[in-house]
Amino acid sequence: DTAVSQTPKYLVTQMGNDKSIKCEQNLGHDTMYWYKQDSKKFLKIMFSYNNKELIINETVPNRFSPKSPDKAHLNLHINSLELGDSAVYFCASTPSDSGANVLTFGAGSRLTVL
Amino acid sequence: GESVGLHLPTLSVQEGDNSIINCAYSNSASDYFIWYKQESGKGPQFIIDIRSNMDKRQGQRVTVLLNKTVKHLSLQIAATQPGDSAVYFCAEITNQAGTALIFGKGTTLSVSS
């Protein structure tokens, strides 16, 4: 069983469209994250939710809206997609938000905006 | 802002050699450090971690060294194998609620046989 699963794995779309990426974890973790990995492999935190509550919101355009219907799910919706949104988006989870915990990552969702 | 960085973007070694991947961090408040391995098309995978009250930790074929005086972290891989070829990231975090792992830029390790 996959611990952190993301769908879709690949997403190709046109500029201006709206798209969503879904994430689910079956580890019983309380905290979930979205990271963005650019073409140079740099991983940057975008959002974090602890038990459905937003706790980290880095400087991300408000076209990005995370939603956590329950603590096992954290979805990412992106409006009005731009070329610069092309990246690999990783979902991750940890047991809690108390800092010193290992993140378990999903396999990533590669978004290509044309 | 403060960030974690790596000294070399790429490292090429021969199979059987020992590899050393270095990382410099700047946040002296960081309590916890993790090394991740990312293979092509996959998410980062945990390799080994170390807390700030330690200076060395060993795993299976891997050793992490922490030098808090110069804010330096290294990952040593013994008897490197082709399957070790990947991008390696160091990451740091403070032991506070509401913080997230900050990643360095990654070192691509290429192992030739």
Side-chain angles (χ1 to χ4, degrees):
Chain A
D1 287 342
T2 305
V4 180
S5 58
Q6 302 178 221
T7 54
K9 187 168 176 65
Y10 300 99
L11 183 55
V12 180
T13 189
Q14 299 286 332
M15 280 175 53
N17 284 349
D18 304 337
K19 291 293 178 186
S20 293
I21 306 172
K22 295 185 177 181
C23 180
E24 175 182 6
Q25 54 94 3
N26 62 6
L27 298 165
H29 288 171
D30 283 345
T31 308
M32 296 183 72
Y33 306 79
W34 279 109
Y35 278 80
K36 179 181 180 180
Q37 187 171 48
D38 62 22
S39 59
K40 296 182 180 178
K41 299 288 188 183
F42 186 59
L43 274 160
K44 185 174 168 59
I45 180 70
M46 299 173 68
F47 301 102
S48 173
Y49 272 72
N50 184 61
N51 206 7
K52 302 192 298 176
E53 181 182 343
L54 180 66
I55 55 171
I56 294 175
N57 185 350
E58 290 296 304
T59 308
V60 177
N62 58 15
R63 298 182 295 103
F64 290 76
S65 52
K67 285 188 171 54
S68 183
D70 55 62
K71 73 174 192 178
H73 295 83
L74 180 61
N75 303 323
L76 184 65
H77 188 76
I78 315 170
N79 290 325
S80 303
L81 280 156
E82 300 177 357
L83 293 176
D85 298 332
S86 295
V88 182
Y89 292 85
F90 286 98
C91 178
S93 69
T94 57
S96 72
D97 72 334
S98 65
N101 287 295
V102 175
L103 265 69
T104 300
F105 282 86
S109 297
R110 180 177 292 277
L111 171 65
T112 303
V113 183
L114 303 175
Chain B
E2 293 175 305
S3 63
V4 177
L6 285 167
H7 292 301
L8 291 174
T10 61
L11 176 64
S12 297
V13 300
Q14 293 286 324
E15 181 178 2
D17 287 351
N18 295 331
S19 302
I20 299 177
I21 301 172
N22 295 305
C23 174
Y25 68 95
S26 57
N27 186 356
S28 57
S30 290
D31 300 292
Y32 183 53
F33 304 87
I34 305 177
W35 280 101
Y36 279 89
K37 172 186 180 183
Q38 186 179 18
E39 295 174 280
S40 181
K42 297 183 179 179
Q45 292 179 294
F46 170 86
I47 302 173
I48 192 168
D49 58 357
I50 189 167
R51 297 190 184 271
S52 59
N53 61 353
M54 303 171 67
D55 53 23
K56 180 179 180 179
R57 189 149 190 241
Q58 286 184 293
Q60 188 177 13
R61 285 201 305 119
V62 294
T63 300
V64 55
L65 299 177
L66 175 62
N67 185 331
K68 293 182 288 293
T69 303
V70 295
K71 298 191 188 78
H72 185 266
L73 195 68
S74 69
L75 176 71
Q76 300 178 359
I77 305 174
T80 315
Q81 302 168 0
D84 294 327
S85 295
V87 180
Y88 289 81
F89 296 93
C90 64
E92 63 173 325
I93 191 168
T94 60
N95 191 19
Q96 295 175 358
T99 58
L101 271 177
I102 297 174
F103 283 81
K105 292 182 179 178
T107 291
T108 300
L109 175 66
S110 299
V111 183
S112 51
S113 48

